[in-house]
Amino acid sequence: MAGVQVSNVSRSFGAHKALDDVSIDFADGGFYALLGPSGSGKTTLLRQIAGFDFPDSGRISIGGESVERVPVEKRRIGMVFQNYALFPNMSVADNVAFGLSVRGEAKAVIATEVQRALDLVQLGKLGGRRPHQLSGGQRQRVALARAIVTKPRVLLLDEPLGALDKALRVDMQIELKRIQREIGITTIFVTHDQEEALTMSDRIGILRDGRLVQEGPPEEIYDRPKSEFAATFLGDANIFRGDTTGNGIRLPDGTAIAAGAGAKLAAGAKASCAVRPERIRIATDAGAPDTANANMLKGQVSKRIFAGNNSTYFVERAGQTLKVIVQNTGADRLAEGQDVVLRWSPESTVLIAAG
Amino acid sequence: MAAQGAIASRGGLRSALPLLAPAYLWLTVAIFLPLSAMVFFSFMTELPLSGKPWAFTLGNYAAFFSQGLYLTLLLASLRLGLEVTLWCILIGYPAAYVLAKVLKGRSREAIFLLVILPFWSNGLVRIFSWAMVLREGGILDTALNAVLPFKINIDLMYSYPAVIIGLVHSYVPYMVLTCYLTLQAIDDSLIEAGRSLGASRLQVLKRVIIPLSMPGLVAGAALIFVPVVGSFMEPRILGGRTGTFYGTVIEDQFVAVFNWPLGAALSFILLAVVLVILALAAPVLRRAA
Ligand SMILES: Nc1ncnc2c1ncn2[C@@H]1O[C@H](COP(=O)(O)OP(=O)(O)O)[C@@H](O)[C@H]1O
Ligand SMILES: [Mg+2]
């Protein structure tokens, strides 16, 4: 087992910078999600770590030693591909045995290890089947068993659940997490599904156009996004843009929005504030002044989407549509067209420098 | 599943009949009828067209078994077919691999064209070009002596190697094409998966790529082996006196000796032997593929 350090890695294809000075420290035994839209460089980064492709500049080390001159087969990594990449000419058991067999392990050792790996992914009885006789979820498990049976130092997964339907995906998320904990392997998991990244990983790195936008534990990125992109890509956010007042902003119509203590930007510059929809309280009148929820805006409900345990209100205000999510407490629901007052606390407001 | 497939294909057959009819009509007229005539001739003492009296006989087939020469030549031709096929695999498979997996875009198109080029040139032109290259004082001889500091004599003309070279050159595009098609269908991620599991490039080739491209290799080998065993043009022109093979003897019966019945009988013996070889090889190859 080993951690992975990526330091100042850049990779261009022609004029296109697929990776631009990316540095990430993947902790030993951690579960790290690489999150980003399609084309942001996630696969490219994974391929540099695996050794299928090489950076133009920068360094990658696994377990503390540089792998610059180490070919793929010597890096001792396990990789799960988006299309599973199972060998169609081999049985499930032979697929899983492949890594041990090329290493020249004894037949008896291979047989027990393969059975153990198949049991771990709950496919103990399907060793004799061919890949094309399996369902998508089963193929995924075989691919995982094949990748971990060689006891690699790092497990790399490229959107492994992308091809599965929603219910199966949630099952596999739980399963994958269980297996990862059980063997304690350093795992780098590529996804474009923010929910998957939030629920599964100890740390998340957000990529955009080949750059690492922000990285940290899921809670930190969710609560304190450093850019509008991070705020809107990981979870939902209402974004207000205006001029900084030091610890908040002033909207074009003069309304002030205060951000949490500690937020500081030079006054006068352009900046934005981000607020999560579930942090906003919605009411039909202003009521008594509320010092805790000092930020206040008036608007009109344009739409309500009922989702069982909560409702999403779309509120029109000065040409902007705001999103508010309210838990279903059985209290009166607001009708479309209703004038409302929105309140939220400065602590729920993140001040983001423009740019 | 199987029953459904059968129903679908029966419905499909009826609607496909108008499309198939011209092809089968053509095959009947152009191949089946002449072939039947040949079967008929092979059991005759004389060609009926010659005006001489004729009778039915098994003598033409008996000739093959009574004269050891025919069997010797057949074995030589089978060996020739095997050798040419092996050379075509050794040369064609790596070329197909490079085309399918290494080259991209423009350079792939350019190399592809070079591979196909012998296909488009006339067979005789191709063979006589080789004659110019291989003979003493020819292009190869002159070029090598111009480069090498010592004097060597290259005269490959009228030799077994010359026949092999000419045949390999003519038939290698088949191997490249069939292997290219199967190799191209192999997903690159399979190769990468193999490497990530600790296999060297060579191990991936042996355990994943070659097994998966077996259908292409088998198809290419069949496309090459069968015509090479019966070939006569390359052996005659490039082999000279050493170029007597089963195919050239058959050709002699038709164009020189005018013993069509014997030529036909020898042809059908060859056809039978080739079919038996393919039938014997089929289960082995199917298991490998
Ligand atoms: N081999 C390549 N040749 C040219 N461009 C590439 C290659 N691989 C990736 N790219 C480009 O690099 C960018 C990042 O790709 P990728 O890492 O696959 O994105 P992601 O996995 O985040 O969707 C894309 O714009 C893609 O077109
Ligand atoms: Mg990708």
Side-chain angles (χ1 to χ4, degrees), chain B residues 106-121:
Chain B
R106 272 284 154 79
S107 49
R108 176 188 289 182
E109 287 166 25
I111 303 285
F112 212 100
L113 202 67
L114 285 180
V115 171
I116 303 301
L117 223 51
F119 247 6
W120 292 344
S121 60

Side-chain angles (χ1 to χ4, degrees), chain A residues 215-228:
Chain A
E215 73 105 42
E219 299 84 354
E220 184 186 306
I221 300 187
Y222 189 80
D223 290 340
R224 289 190 295 284
K226 286 182 182 156
S227 61
E228 284 184 21

Side-chain angles (χ1 to χ4, degrees), chain A residues 47 73 77 83 86 101-102, chain B residues 187 192 195-196 203 207:
Chain A
R47 292 173 61 81
E73 63 266 29
I77 50 148
N83 65 356
L86 299 178
S101 152
V102 294
Chain B
D187 197 324
E192 294 186 341
R195 300 284 309 282
S196 76
Q203 282 172 314
R207 290 171 178 242

Side-chain angles (χ1 to χ4, degrees), chain B residues 142-220:
Chain B
T142 316
L144 277 181
N145 278 312
V147 176
L148 294 175
F150 49 90
K151 171 92 181 125
I152 52 164
N153 253 335
I154 299 283
D155 183 12
L156 285 173
M157 208 42 202
Y158 307 129
S159 70
Y160 189 66
V163 177
I164 297 268
I165 290 173
L167 283 168
V168 168
H169 182 225
S170 296
Y171 285 99
V172 82
Y174 288 104
M175 189 58 77
V176 176
L177 284 179
T178 56
C179 290
Y180 174 78
L181 289 177
T182 48
L183 282 168
Q184 214 197 16
I186 299 174
D187 197 324
D188 285 349
S189 67
L190 292 183
I191 301 172
E192 294 186 341
R195 300 284 309 282
S196 76
L197 290 165
S200 65
R201 282 171 201 278
L202 206 66
Q203 282 172 314
V204 172
L205 185 73
K206 221 176 74 188
R207 290 171 178 242
V208 180
I209 300 175
I210 291 181
L212 286 176
S213 45
M214 225 12 141
L217 279 166
V218 170

Side-chain angles (χ1 to χ4, degrees), chain A residues 228 240-244 248-249 265 268-273 351-354:
Chain A
E228 284 184 21
F240 300 97
R241 297 198 182 93
D243 300 314
T244 39
I249 61 168
L265 284 176
K270 293 279 178 202
S272 32
C273 280
L351 183 63
I352 295 168

Side-chain angles (χ1 to χ4, degrees), chain A residues 38-39 42-44 82 158-159 190:
Chain A
S38 177
K42 307 181 296 291
T43 298
T44 306
Q82 182 166 11
D158 193 356
E159 307 204 20
V190 163

